Amino acid sequence: MVPLKVNFVLGLLGVAFLNILVLCMARPGVHYYDFVLKETNFTRLCSTKSMLTVNGSFPGPVIQVRRGDLVYVNVHNQGKYGVTIHWHGVKQPRNPWSDGPENITQCPIQPGTSFTYKVILSDEEGTLWWHAHSDWSRATVHGAFVILPKRGTTYPFAKPYKEQIIVLGSWFKEDLKAIIDEALETGGNPNTSNAHTINGYTGVVNATVCPTGKTFHMLFSYGKTYLLRIVNAVMNDEQFFGIANHKLTVVGSDGAYTKPFTTDYLFITPGQTMDVLVTANQSPSKYYMVSTPYFDSFAEFDNTSVKAIIEYEGKYSPPKSIPLPNLPAYNNESAAQNFTVLLRSLASKEHPVNVPKKITKRIFITISLNLLPCPAGKTCKGPFNQTMSASLNNISDVPKYVQEGDNYIESVFFLNRGINGVFGKNFPNQPKIFDFTGDVTNISQYTTQGTKVIPIEYGEKVELVFQGTAIQSPENHPMHLHGFSFYLVGIGTGNFSKSDIKNYNLVDPPEVNTIGIPRKGWAAIRFTANNPGVWFMHCHLERHASWGMDTVIIVKEGRTRASRMLPPPAYMPPCTI
C-alpha cells in the first residue's frame, strides 16, 4: 500500500502536470519564416521566363500554423523592384502595420533590404493565403496559409485521410510589370494571361505540342476522404472548379467553417479560399480535375481551362480518354449565384455567429467600370479612344502618396488627434441615385478621380451594400476587405431596395473576406468595426484595382488601450518618391 502522504504528493504532481499541459495547449505558438524574394527561371508553354518568386518556388512556400498563433515572416528582397506582402484574410487585430498593401499601410520593401512582418492570428481557422500587394507581382508571389485547429481540438467534421493544397493561378509569358505599366500608359486593357495553372502547372498533356508542359497529379486511395484546401490566386478571372465523377463537399471558406453542402462544382473568385472534402469512391482509374474561367462581360479574357489528374492507386487499365467534369458554361451567371447562396456559417457552439443586428452605420457603394479623358496630345487605347478607369461611388482612387511620398497609415496613427490633409475623409456614404442596372444611356461613363477614405467610429455596427452598375461593361466584382471577416447577409440581381432587407439571412450567413458581387446585382455585408486601423478595400480583379476600384476604411481608435492600434514596429520600410 502506498502511504497517504505519497498519494497526496503524487496527486499534487498530477494536478500540476495537468495544469502545465493545459497551459501549454492554450498558449499560442510562435513561428518564424524566411521569405527570399528573387528572380527565378521557369519554363511553361514552351518558353522560359525570369519571374519574381519567394524562395524560388511557384506557388510559394506554405505557412502552416494553429489558430491563435503568432507568425514572424522576415522578407528579404533580392528582386528588382520594391514589394510588399499581404496576409489575405488574417485580421491582424490592432496591427495594420503588417497588413501589407503597398503605400496604404507601408511603403515597399526596396531591393537589397528586409522587413519582418508580425502576423497576428485571432479566430481564423481553415485555409487562407498570402500574396504580394504591389503592382501585379502577386501573379507569381503567393502561397497558401493553413491554420489548423488549436491543440486539443479538431475539425468539425471527420478527420480526412490526407490534405492537399490546390492553388489556382495565372501564367503570363510576358513580364508582369511591363504588362500593367503599358496598360496604364496607353489607357487600354492589359494583356490577358496565356494560361491558367493548378499548383504552378499549366496542365499541357500533349507532349507533341509542348514537350515542357507538365500536369499536376494527385493520388487517390480507394475509399479514403481527402481535404482539398483550394486557393484562387488567379489574377483576373473567377473560376468554376470540379473533379470528374466526384462530388465535392464544401466545409469551409475564407478561414471559417461552413455548414457542409455537396455539389458538382465550385464557383470561386480571385481572393477566395475553400475547404472541400472529396471521397475516392469511384472505379479506380484516372479523372480530370479542372478549373475553367467564369466571365460575364464583353472584354477579352483568358478562356483557357487547366487540367490536373486524379490517379487512383492500384493496378487497372488506364482509360482510353480521361473523363472531364461537367462544369457550367463560362458565362453561366445563374450557376455562379446558385453556388454562392449555398454558403452558410456553421453557427455552432464552438464556432458561433455574431451578426450585427442593430446597425449604427450604413454605407452604400456603387461599383462601375468607367472612362477618363485621354490626356491631351496622347492616343489612348480605351473605348472611344479614352482611358479605362474604375470606381467606387464614382470615385476612382488616385492616392496622393504618389506625389507626396507619404502613406495613409503614417498620416492617421494618432487618429483621435484628427485626420490630416494627405487625403479627404469625405468618401460619400451613398452615390448619386439612378437606375443602376437598367438603361444607363443618359448616365455619363466618365468618373472623377480622388483620394478619399471612409472613417468609421470604433465599435460601429456596419452594414455595407455593394451595388453593381450597368455603366461601361458590367461584370462580377470580387470585393475584398482587409482587417475583417464580414457576414454576407444578402445577395441578389438588379437594384438593391429596402424590401430586400426582410430576406436577409441573420441566422447563419457565411463569414468571408471576399465576395463576388453579381453582374448588375448587389450584395449586403455586415461587420462590427472593432479593429482600429487603416484597412484597404478593393476589387480582387487586378485590372480593376489598377484602374482605381478601391478605397480605404479607417476604423478610429477607441478610448481603451485594447481598442487602440499597436505601436508601429521599430523599423518600417522608408517611403521614397
Side-chain angles (χ1 to χ4, degrees):
M1 178 180 292
V2 181
L4 180 61
K5 185 176 180 179
V6 174
N7 268 333
F8 178 72
V9 171
L10 290 175
L12 286 178
L13 289 174
V15 170
F17 174 76
L18 287 175
N19 286 338
I20 292 171
L21 181 61
V22 170
L23 182 63
C24 290
M25 290 169 61
R27 182 176 297 167
V30 181
H31 308 264
Y32 299 89
Y33 288 84
D34 279 294
F35 280 11
V36 179
L37 288 159
K38 61 181 179 179
E39 292 286 322
T40 308
N41 286 336
F42 277 81
T43 301
R44 300 286 187 271
L45 305 181
C46 294
S47 65
T48 299
K49 64 177 288 188
S50 177
M51 65 190 205
L52 191 66
T53 65
V54 170
N55 298 352
S57 64
F58 172 68
V62 176
I63 292 177
Q64 182 166 303
V65 295
R66 292 189 179 274
R67 176 173 174 152
D69 282 356
L70 178 61
V71 186
Y72 291 95
V73 184
N74 195 7
V75 177
H76 312 269
N77 188 358
Q78 297 178 5
K80 302 176 183 177
Y81 310 104
V83 179
T84 64
I85 305 293
H86 170 53
W87 318 96
H88 188 113
V90 177
K91 298 179 183 69
Q92 291 278 28
R94 305 168 56 217
N95 186 38
W97 307 101
S98 284
D99 188 48
E102 183 177 75
N103 293 325
I104 304 297
T105 56
Q106 69 166 101
C107 290
I109 307 166
Q110 295 299 326
T113 66
S114 301
F115 176 62
T116 299
Y117 288 92
K118 181 180 182 180
V119 185
I120 303 173
L121 297 171
S122 53
D123 60 355
E124 305 90 348
E125 190 170 325
T127 306
L128 295 173
W129 64 305
W130 58 265
H131 60 82
H133 217 300
S134 307
D135 296 319
W136 276 27
S137 51
R138 82 163 175 86
T140 60
V141 178
H142 60 252
F145 198 130
V146 176
I147 305 169
L148 302 172
K150 286 184 177 181
R151 294 191 184 278
T153 66
T154 187
Y155 303 125
F157 47 82
K159 186 177 180 180
Y161 174 62
K162 285 184 179 179
E163 301 184 9
Q164 175 64 55
I165 291 168
I166 302 291
V167 178
L168 311 178
S170 304
W171 183 264
F172 293 81
K173 286 187 175 182
E174 300 173 73
D175 178 80
L176 273 300
K177 193 173 188 307
I179 290 175
I180 187 56
D181 284 352
E182 179 187 14
L184 295 178
E185 174 65 24
T186 63
N189 264 305
N191 292 342
T192 64
S193 55
N194 300 101
H196 293 104
T197 60
I198 292 179
N199 286 354
Y201 295 110
T202 55
V204 179
V205 295
N206 188 341
T208 61
V209 173
C210 187
T212 61
K214 291 184 180 181
T215 302
F216 175 73
H217 288 248
M218 180 178 175
L219 289 177
F220 268 16
S221 178
Y222 183 81
K224 303 295 186 181
T225 297
Y226 296 80
L227 175 61
L228 305 182
R229 297 183 178 273
I230 303 172
V231 175
N232 187 349
V234 175
M235 291 290 280
N236 287 307
D237 305 302
E238 294 91 353
Q239 299 284 300
F240 288 123
F241 174 93
I243 300 174
N245 298 2
H246 291 74
K247 297 287 187 179
L248 306 173
T249 300
V250 180
V251 294
S253 181
D254 285 5
Y257 295 116
T258 63
K259 284 185 170 67
F261 67 92
T262 301
T263 176
D264 293 322
Y265 69 93
L266 306 180
F267 171 67
I268 182 169
T269 73
Q272 283 185 312
T273 61
M274 290 187 185
D275 294 327
V276 178
L277 297 174
V278 58
T279 299
N281 55 9
Q282 297 300 301
S283 299
S285 187
K286 294 182 180 181
Y287 300 87
Y288 274 131
M289 171 193 293
V290 176
S291 186
T292 191
Y294 167 76
F295 195 74
D296 53 6
S297 189
F298 315 118
E300 183 181 0
F301 71 104
D302 180 357
N303 195 19
T304 62
S305 298
V306 57
K307 303 172 185 175
I309 295 176
I310 299 295
E311 187 171 347
Y312 276 70
E313 296 174 332
K315 294 182 179 179
Y316 51 84
S317 299
K320 292 182 180 179
S321 61
I322 301 175
L324 290 162
N326 183 24
L327 296 178
Y330 77 91
N331 58 354
N332 191 328
E333 295 180 49
S334 297
Q337 190 165 336
N338 289 344
F339 176 86
T340 301
V341 298
L342 293 174
L343 292 170
R344 293 284 187 271
S345 283
L346 193 57
S348 66
K349 180 181 179 181
E350 294 78 15
H351 304 280
V353 164
N354 296 300
V355 188
K357 301 293 177 61
K358 295 182 178 180
I359 299 303
T360 59
K361 186 172 183 68
R362 297 182 186 276
I363 304 169
F364 190 94
I365 295 181
T366 53
I367 307 173
S368 303
L369 293 176
N370 305 95
L371 297 175
L372 288 169
C374 186
K378 289 187 64 175
T379 299
C380 293
K381 294 184 178 180
F384 314 113
N385 299 316
Q386 300 296 287
T387 295
M388 289 295 301
S389 184
S391 69
L392 300 177
N393 277 357
N394 207 41
I395 299 172
S396 181
D397 187 44
V398 181
K400 285 188 179 178
Y401 50 69
V402 173
Q403 294 88 21
E404 299 183 9
D406 205 341
N407 66 17
Y408 283 89
I409 196 166
E410 291 185 354
S411 305
V412 297
F413 177 46
F414 299 108
L415 291 176
N416 289 334
R417 302 181 187 179
I419 299 176
N420 72 15
V422 171
F423 49 80
K425 58 181 178 179
N426 55 338
F427 185 95
N429 283 341
Q430 70 173 33
K432 176 183 176 182
I433 302 300
F434 60 96
D435 184 1
F436 302 117
T437 60
D439 183 359
V440 294
T441 305
N442 296 322
I443 304 298
S444 174
Q445 297 185 34
Y446 290 86
T447 185
T448 59
Q449 292 182 297
T451 307
K452 299 182 179 182
V453 303
I454 304 173
I456 299 177
E457 298 295 329
Y458 181 85
E460 293 264 37
K461 309 296 184 182
V462 182
E463 177 175 299
L464 195 162
V465 175
F466 294 108
Q467 173 69 64
T469 75
I471 294 175
Q472 184 54 234
S473 179
E475 62 182 273
N476 187 289
H477 297 282
M479 296 301 298
H480 171 52
L481 173 60
H482 293 217
F484 293 89
S485 290
F486 50 78
Y487 292 103
L488 175 67
V489 296
I491 191 167
T493 56
N495 295 336
F496 172 82
S497 71
K498 290 184 178 179
S499 63
D500 290 311
I501 296 175
K502 66 179 183 294
N503 297 318
Y504 278 0
N505 175 11
L506 301 180
V507 177
D508 59 355
E511 185 181 6
V512 294
N513 60 62
T514 306
I515 190 63
I517 315 304
R519 178 180 181 269
K520 292 203 270 188
W522 59 272
I525 68 171
R526 289 186 175 187
F527 63 95
T528 300
N530 56 6
N531 192 9
V534 178
W535 306 110
F536 200 35
M537 184 171 71
H538 61 98
C539 180
H540 226 279
L541 300 179
E542 288 303 309
R543 67 185 188 281
H544 294 174
S546 298
W547 291 334
M549 192 178 283
D550 52 69
T551 188
V552 171
I553 286 180
I554 295 178
V555 177
K556 296 183 181 182
E557 295 180 312
R559 297 181 178 180
T560 65
R561 179 177 295 181
S563 62
R564 297 179 68 85
M565 288 194 295
L566 297 174
Y571 170 80
M572 290 287 288
C575 299
T576 58
I577 299 179

